Structure formats: C-alpha cells, structure tokens
Amino acid sequence: VESRGAAGDHVPGAHEGQPHKFVIAPDTVQDLSPGGSRRVPRFRISGQLNATTCALGEPVEGELRVEVSDAEVLSIETQLVRVETASSAEGHTQQLTEIQSIQ
C-alpha cells in the first residue's frame, strides 16, 4: 500500500513503512468537474494507515473516521491499488492496477 491522494497522486511527506495520517474533504478531491464541488455535500473523513507500504501477505491496518457529513453515509468503499513504477532515461512511468475493492 502506498499513500495516495484522492486522485491517485503520491502524497508528499509519506514515508515507506511509516504511519501516515490523511484527511479527505471536498477541497481535497481533485477529480471534480468544474463547479462539481458545489454539488458535493460537506464532509470530512480522517484516518491513518499504520504503514504506507506492506508485503502482499501482510494486513493493511489503520483507522477511518467520518468526522462530519451533511448527507447520510450508507457505505464506505476502500480500494487496494498496486502502483508499479518504471524508470528510464526518459523519466518515470507509473501504472495503477486495482487489486481489490471492499464495501
């Protein structure tokens, strides 16, 4: 598991194997269409991953807390994504692959 932002971008300051705190709110979501943030209910979700990377045979552990939500929360979906990075003289290439999605 690698720490990622809402749009899949690497989170600055996250270090492999170290606990990582995060906050998800309308202003942190990057893939909203123009004006889309006005349609998103006010919410704030915080949490912590106990480590930003782990072996495939190890559990992913942490916590998630819904602090504020103007809309009723019916479910929360988590997504495990493998990130493969290849480096070359031309630069870095990343490929994201969904491994598992849990609701």
Side-chain angles (χ1 to χ4, degrees):
V1 172
E2 185 169 343
S3 180
R4 298 280 159 181
D9 298 324
H10 180 71
V11 177
H15 301 286
E16 291 185 11
Q18 298 294 318
H20 177 71
K21 293 183 180 183
F22 62 88
V23 173
I24 305 169
D27 61 335
T28 66
V29 178
Q30 298 176 1
D31 285 346
L32 292 175
S33 60
S37 61
R38 289 185 293 249
R39 296 187 308 257
V40 175
R42 186 175 65 98
F43 69 92
R44 180 179 169 88
I45 298 171
S46 65
Q48 175 178 305
L49 292 173
N50 290 353
T52 58
T53 63
C54 67
L56 290 175
E58 297 293 318
V60 176
E61 297 177 326
E63 64 182 55
L64 182 80
R65 183 178 317 110
V66 178
E67 296 179 3
V68 175
S69 179
D70 285 350
E72 180 181 10
V73 177
L74 301 175
S75 66
I76 295 176
E77 182 175 314
T78 60
Q79 184 180 43
L80 180 61
V81 176
R82 177 178 58 221
V83 179
E84 298 177 79
T85 304
S87 299
S88 67
E90 291 83 32
H92 298 300
T93 302
Q94 284 190 338
Q95 181 175 350
L96 303 164
T97 306
E98 180 179 328
I99 303 299
Q100 186 174 17
S101 185
I102 302 171
Q103 185 173 23

